[in-house]
Amino acid sequence: MVFQTPIRRANYPAYKSPYGPKYHYQPNIAGWTVKQFAGLGFKAGAFGGVAFFAVIYYASGIPRVKQDILQKIPFIGGYFIKEVPASDNPF
């Protein structure tokens, strides 16, 4: 059986080029970095905002939603107040 002779190296560090990549430790949680969490949070917030306005638009015809939610929004709440004139009131 033939054994290889171990290579003896000098005890000085290997050359590291100043133009090469700068490797450093990047903290993560289960492989997700802070930057990825921030991007995910931004996208989830945007999707949630669009979904919220879609639900409000869809439910804006429901009188309870108009009275409890939409009429209490500053500046545009008056748009959702419907006053029936006395001439149109059957009673």
Side-chain angles (χ1 to χ4, degrees), residues 7-68:
I7 299 174
R8 296 179 190 223
R9 295 185 181 217
N11 289 333
Y12 57 88
Y15 174 73
K16 186 173 181 182
S17 172
Y19 305 107
K22 310 285 190 267
Y23 294 113
H24 55 42
Y25 175 73
Q26 189 168 13
N28 64 70
I29 300 172
W32 289 78
T33 63
V34 174
K35 186 176 181 181
Q36 289 173 326
F37 270 123
L40 178 67
F42 180 76
K43 289 175 188 174
F47 181 76
V50 170
F52 173 73
F53 282 109
V55 167
I56 290 296
Y57 179 74
Y58 181 73
S60 65
I62 301 172
R64 188 72 177 194
V65 174
K66 279 186 183 180
Q67 292 170 358
D68 291 346

